[in-house]
């Protein structure tokens, strides 16, 4: 079997797919890419046994068909340093070797049979389906993934929750201290359904969707999801369990509203945060008409810092404590020039929303307060 394709196209696709492969695998075959050549195209698959990602390349020319596996590091090392040029790949199934010829040289190395390679788990016939724009899905994952937890006792908190209702699709992440909810009103279903996407496939999607356009189709049942995008497919095992009622922790009425320039607040937080206690990272937000004052203090090292930022504020003067690093993460994952921080009292969660919401979307981030030592 012989086929030709571009070195850049092959290298780019291999680099993306290599993110699936673990550094240590229980099965040696999982150290490999699966190559399948059929109908003038090459499908490359990588797997860690729970996540399987495929990408397809149209071949410049092809003689014969067949499947084989090749060590991921060997072929990555072979092609990643090559400038853009045509590659000729000859596969000898008798010798179980592959010969790669390029402009000024050649490689050859062993291949393995494709029979041992794990195959994708089929999705049940009664699977639910969501179709979403690739850019919107990528943005929602980007905004949410920082808020996922790393909790061995509550694994449901370690993923991103997709909640499809008759009203909207909500994409939610929370670690119990902060929460992100992305609502898309253009996607809805009369039959409510939900699933929890683990962090690794969410990170993989974030990487590949940034380059792709078009729609993403997500088919899912109780255990598995099959996600199809512009030029590839990702199948993964879902996190099983019941996600907490995230709506119950979102305050319905926070009357005190701070409207503030997002980048100015980020800059001020970065300047005062080094002077806060390493263990708590507590920042005191002291707000009054037209002014927000940030205070940080580390009693152990006798350091403190404060900075004032102008803002619009309609409400009673108040002081509330937030974890500085968490507030920075939230602000860095919003895109609008101005944000609104909605507060009720120092014991209730603060809600941060962009001043201008994207069309047909509602983005909300929540942060729990910290106890102030008066």
């Amino acid at each position: 079997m012989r086929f030709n394709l571009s070195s850049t196209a092959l290298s780019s696709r291999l680099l993306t797919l290599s993110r699936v492969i673990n550094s240590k695998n229980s099965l040696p075959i999982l150290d490999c890419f699966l190559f399948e050549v059929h109908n003038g195209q090459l499908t490359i698959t990588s797997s860690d046994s729970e996540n399987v990602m495929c990408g397809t390349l149209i071949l410049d020319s092809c003689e014969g068909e067949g499947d084989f596996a090749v060590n991921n590091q060997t072929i990555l090392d072979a092609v990643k340093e090559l400038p853009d040029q045509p590659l000729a790949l000859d596969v000898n199934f008798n010798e179980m070797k592959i010969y790669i010829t390029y402009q000024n040289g050649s490689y050859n190395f062993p291949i393995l049979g494709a029979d041992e390679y794990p195959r994708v788990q089929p999705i049940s016939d009664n699977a639910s389906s969501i179709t979403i724009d690739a850019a919107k899905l990528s943005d929602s994952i980007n905004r949410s993934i920082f808020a996922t937890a790393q909790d061995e006792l509550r694994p449901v908190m370690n993923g991103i929750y997709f909640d499809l209702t008759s009203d909207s699709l909500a994409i939610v992440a929370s670690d119990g201290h902060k929460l992100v909810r992305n609502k898309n009103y253009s996607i809805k279903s009369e039959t409510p359904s939900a699933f929890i996407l683990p962090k690794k496939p969410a990170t993989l999607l974030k990487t590949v969707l940034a380059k792709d356009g078009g729609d993403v189709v997500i088919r899912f049942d109780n255990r598995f999801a099959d996600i199809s995008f512009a030029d590839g497919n990702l199948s993964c095992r879902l996190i099983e369990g019941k996600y907490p009622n995230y709506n119950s922790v979102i305050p319905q009425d926070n009357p005190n509203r701070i409207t503030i320039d997002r980048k100015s607040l980020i800059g001020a937080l970065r300047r005062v945060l080094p002077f806060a206690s390493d263990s708590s990272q507590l920042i005191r937000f002291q707000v009054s008409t037209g002014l927000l004052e940030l205070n940080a203090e580390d009693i152990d090292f006798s350091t403190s810092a404060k900075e004032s930022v102008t803002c619009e504020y309609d409400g009673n003067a108040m002081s509330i404590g937030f974890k500085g690093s968490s507030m920075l993460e939230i602000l860095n994952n919003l895109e609008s020039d101005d944000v609104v921080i909605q507060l009720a009292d120092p014991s209730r969660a603060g809600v941060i929303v962009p001043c201008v919401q994207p069309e047909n979307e509602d983005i909300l981030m929540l942060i729990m307060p910290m106890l102030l030592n008066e």
Side-chain angles (χ1 to χ4, degrees), residues 117-331:
Y117 207 84
R119 300 296 168 167
V120 174
Q121 290 282 351
I123 298 286
S124 61
D125 295 335
N126 59 350
S128 302
S129 179
I130 297 172
T131 302
I132 182 170
D133 178 74
K136 289 191 181 297
L137 178 58
S138 177
D139 287 345
S140 294
I141 292 173
N142 263 316
R143 275 193 295 265
S144 307
I145 203 162
F146 81 94
T148 54
Q150 290 184 323
D151 190 338
E152 293 181 5
L153 299 177
R154 293 192 300 168
V156 294
M157 306 295 285
N158 299 343
I160 295 178
Y161 183 54
F162 285 68
D163 186 17
L164 182 63
T165 65
S166 58
D167 171 54
S168 63
L169 170 66
I171 299 175
V172 181
S174 177
D175 61 3
H177 303 287
K178 51 188 181 287
L179 178 145
V180 178
R181 187 194 67 191
N182 307 273
K183 270 192 173 184
N184 189 320
Y185 292 107
S186 59
I187 302 169
K188 57 188 80 170
S189 171
E190 292 305 317
T191 309
S193 55
F195 66 92
I196 306 171
L197 185 69
K199 198 176 298 188
K200 182 171 180 177
T203 305
L204 292 168
L205 277 176
K206 183 180 76 166
T207 305
V208 295
L209 293 180
K211 304 165 191 166
D212 295 332
D215 286 338
V216 178
V217 179
I218 306 172
R219 294 180 63 247
F220 60 96
D221 57 23
N222 292 333
R223 297 181 63 201
F224 296 98
D226 183 82
I227 304 164
S228 300
F229 42 92
D231 56 1
N233 180 273
L234 173 64
S235 298
C236 63
R237 183 186 291 273
L238 300 173
I239 297 174
E240 295 181 50
K242 184 173 176 59
Y243 203 80
N245 181 2
Y246 60 90
N247 284 314
S248 67
V249 301
I250 299 172
Q252 298 306 306
D253 181 31
N254 275 10
N256 303 313
R257 298 163 60 90
I258 306 168
T259 304
I260 193 165
D261 181 76
R262 183 178 65 90
K263 289 183 178 176
S264 297
L265 182 52
I266 287 172
L269 277 168
R270 283 180 175 158
R271 287 187 286 273
V272 302
L273 187 55
F275 296 89
S277 165
D278 280 344
S279 57
S280 69
Q281 298 186 328
L282 170 66
I283 304 288
R284 179 194 291 265
F285 282 60
Q286 196 160 342
V287 61
S288 56
T289 304
L291 199 66
L292 170 64
E293 187 176 276
L294 306 178
N295 287 275
E297 185 178 21
D298 189 344
I299 296 170
D300 294 338
F301 292 94
S302 300
T303 61
S304 65
K306 68 177 181 179
E307 183 167 335
S308 298
V309 187
T310 56
C311 66
E312 292 178 27
Y313 180 62
D314 50 348
N316 301 321
M318 65 183 292
S319 290
I320 186 169
F322 291 119
K323 186 173 182 178
S325 57
S326 295
M327 181 63 83
L328 269 177
E329 284 181 312
I330 286 173
L331 294 170

Side-chain angles (χ1 to χ4, degrees), residues 81-93:
E81 297 297 337
L82 290 174
D84 187 23
Q85 59 184 285
L87 295 181
L89 290 84
D90 282 285
V91 182
N92 188 320
F93 288 106

Side-chain angles (χ1 to χ4, degrees), residues 22-26 31:
N22 291 332
S23 55
K24 293 182 180 178
N25 290 296
S26 54
D31 290 328

Side-chain angles (χ1 to χ4, degrees), residues 68-81:
F68 61 94
V70 58
N71 181 273
N72 80 92
Q73 204 56 58
T74 304
I75 193 161
L76 272 172
D77 289 341
V79 301
K80 70 182 180 183
E81 297 297 337

